[in-house]
């Protein structure tokens, strides 16, 4: 018989507050067209993107995360000292160690929280949310800060016609805390490593360091393969998340998919047969693809503009490099 005492966590977990930060510089498609042979009409028709935000040298991964986190903590009605865990999902923090989560935790005033980074691409927010839920139910933290943050402008090849227009910068954060009823459903997540070449970094950092390539590494992708996978396979994952939560599409108030591409979003809405009353996040038009930051940024904007409200039931799904994915149903804060 085990001598270990059972964990004494909360029965459930919920998102209590959300915050976002978008860099001050707004970059229209015209700027992108200075380095690729394309047109504003082509970019909008292929992606739905009209503008994106690019960070200044001062708007670092840490600085943007601190701004978003402060808003989320205030929105949750708690103090930084109550944060017991900080989880940061990013692929664009260029210092391998220590984890940027430790610096962010210190900057926001958290007191000795667990702090670590994860790399799960555009599904990173869903991964972080699931880990935070586990920490709260297990009892190792009462409140956990989950941050998705990217400076993808640092990893964009402005001469790559397939990707130059896609990426933006920003940070989104949520506070996850205890709940007396289910407010974060079961997560449907996974990976398909056999498709890892469809979204990837062009070359390892070591190739650049050793001088075997002249261009700084960037993100590249096989657009058509990614589109087909996202539309057909991720719609199935989204349906599985609805099933796992015990609800149907008709029970939803909001749909917040990863803001990868407007065509992908619209195709998923059609495949899932979402009713007209469901509000769909289309933040990609003015924010671009911000990878791990895209879902919390879209969530923050929907709530701030009144398109969604506290207590709404939302389906969230992230998918990207790996290929990895994560979907769940949540109650909005």
């Amino acid at each position: 018989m085990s001598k270990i005492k059972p964990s004494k966590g909360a029965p459930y977990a919920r998102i209590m507050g959300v915050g976002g930060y978008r860099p001050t510089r707004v970059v229209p498609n015209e700027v992108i067209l200075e380095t690729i042979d394309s047109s504003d009409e082509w970019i909008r028709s292929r992606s739905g993107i009209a503008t994106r935000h690019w960070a200044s040298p001062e708007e670092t991964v840490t600085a943007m995360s601190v701004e978003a986190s402060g808003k989320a903590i205030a929105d949750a009605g708690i103090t930084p000292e109550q944060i017991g865990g900080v989880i940061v999902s990013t692929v664009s923090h260029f210092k391998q160690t220590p984890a940027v989560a430790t610096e962010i935790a210190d900057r926001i005033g958290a007191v000795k929280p667990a702090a670590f980074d994860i790399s799960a691409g555009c599904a990173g927010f869903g991964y972080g949310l699931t880990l935070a839920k586990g920490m709260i139910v297990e009892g190792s933290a009462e409140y956990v800060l989950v941050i998705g943050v990217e400076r993808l402008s640092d990893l964009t090849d402005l001469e790559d016609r397939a990707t130059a227009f896609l990426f933006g910068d920003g940070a989104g954060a949520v506070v996850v805390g205890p709940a007396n009823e289910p407010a974060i459903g079961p997560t449907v997540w996974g990976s398909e490593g056999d498709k890892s070449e469809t979204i990837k970094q062009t070359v390892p950092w070591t190739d650049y360091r050793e001088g075997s390539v002249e261009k700084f590494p960037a993100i590249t992708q096989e657009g058509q393969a990614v589109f087909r996978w996202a539309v057909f396979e991720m719609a199935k994952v989204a349906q599985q998340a609805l099933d796992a939560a015990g609800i149907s599409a008709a029970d939803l108030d909001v749909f917040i998919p990863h803001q990868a591409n407007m065509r992908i979003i619209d195709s998923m809405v059609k495949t899932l047969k979402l009713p007209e009353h469901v509000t769909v996040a289309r933040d990609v038009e003015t924010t671009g693809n911000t990878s791990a930051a895209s879902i919390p940024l879209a969530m923050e904007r929907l709530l701030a503009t009144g398109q969604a409200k506290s207590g709404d039931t939302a389906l969230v799904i992230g998918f990207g490099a790996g290929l990895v994915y994560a979907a769940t149903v949540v109650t909005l804060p």
Side-chain angles (χ1 to χ4, degrees):
M1 183 177 179
S2 174
K3 298 179 181 179
I4 300 173
K5 293 181 180 179
S7 299
K8 294 183 178 180
Y12 306 103
R14 66 187 177 104
I15 299 175
M16 299 179 60
V18 60
Y21 180 83
R22 292 171 172 81
T24 55
R25 182 187 177 192
V26 177
V27 179
N29 288 337
E30 286 73 19
V31 172
I32 308 299
L33 297 175
E34 294 173 4
T35 52
I36 61 171
D37 180 17
S38 187
S39 68
D40 177 64
E41 181 183 3
W42 187 88
I43 293 173
R44 289 175 185 255
S45 66
R46 300 287 291 183
S47 67
I49 299 172
T51 61
R52 72 285 292 147
H53 295 256
W54 283 356
S56 67
E58 293 76 27
E59 291 169 316
T60 62
V61 165
T62 299
M64 292 191 293
S65 297
V66 169
E67 290 292 330
S69 298
K71 295 175 183 177
I73 292 168
D75 192 42
I78 65 169
T79 65
E81 292 82 4
Q82 292 175 276
I83 297 291
V86 178
I87 303 171
V88 178
S89 177
T90 185
V91 299
S92 48
H93 177 61
F94 293 152
K95 186 182 290 185
Q96 192 69 36
T97 192
V100 72
T102 59
E103 181 182 357
I104 294 167
D106 179 63
R107 290 271 299 273
I108 65 173
V111 181
K112 298 182 179 180
F116 57 95
D117 299 348
I118 59 174
S119 177
C122 306
F125 176 74
Y127 275 52
L129 187 64
T130 303
L131 294 171
K133 173 186 174 182
M135 292 167 70
I136 290 160
V137 173
E138 187 270 339
S140 60
E142 186 174 10
Y143 302 100
V144 179
L145 181 66
V146 179
I147 303 165
V149 57
E150 301 292 2
R151 273 182 56 118
L152 293 181
S153 58
D154 292 334
L155 285 168
T156 299
D157 180 354
L158 293 178
E159 296 179 347
D160 181 358
R161 191 172 185 270
T163 61
F165 58 89
L166 285 176
F167 302 121
D169 303 336
V174 300
V175 171
V176 182
N180 292 320
E181 60 182 13
I184 301 176
T187 299
V188 178
W189 57 354
S191 64
E192 297 183 32
D194 60 314
K195 300 179 181 66
S196 61
E197 291 294 302
T198 56
I199 307 174
K200 64 179 182 179
Q201 183 171 306
T202 49
V203 295
W205 302 114
T206 48
D207 285 8
Y208 182 74
R209 181 189 66 187
E210 293 163 2
S212 58
V213 295
E214 294 183 358
K215 269 192 172 183
F216 192 74
I219 297 173
T220 186
Q221 68 176 36
E222 298 174 13
Q224 287 302 314
V226 172
F227 181 86
R228 288 192 298 270
W229 176 77
V231 169
F232 297 109
E233 297 304 319
M234 292 306 97
K236 297 175 186 177
V237 170
Q239 183 60 55
Q240 289 170 15
L242 291 174
D243 295 342
I247 66 172
S248 69
D251 297 314
L252 285 176
D253 301 302
V254 185
F255 178 44
I256 311 177
H258 164 48
Q259 301 295 292
N261 179 304
M262 195 75 79
R263 291 169 62 212
I264 291 175
I265 294 170
D266 291 341
S267 294
M268 290 184 71
V269 169
K270 184 177 181 180
T271 303
L272 288 167
K273 298 179 181 178
L274 296 184
E276 287 291 328
H277 75 264
V278 176
T279 297
V280 180
R282 292 188 171 88
D283 194 44
V284 67
E285 180 180 4
T286 56
T287 306
N289 180 342
T290 56
S291 189
S294 81
I295 290 175
L297 277 175
M299 182 184 295
E300 185 264 349
R301 176 162 281 174
L302 289 176
L303 289 166
T305 58
Q307 295 176 74
K309 63 184 186 299
S310 175
D312 279 353
T313 300
L315 169 63
V316 299
I317 178 169
F319 44 85
L323 293 168
V324 294
Y325 55 87
T328 188
V329 175
V330 303
T331 301
L332 294 182

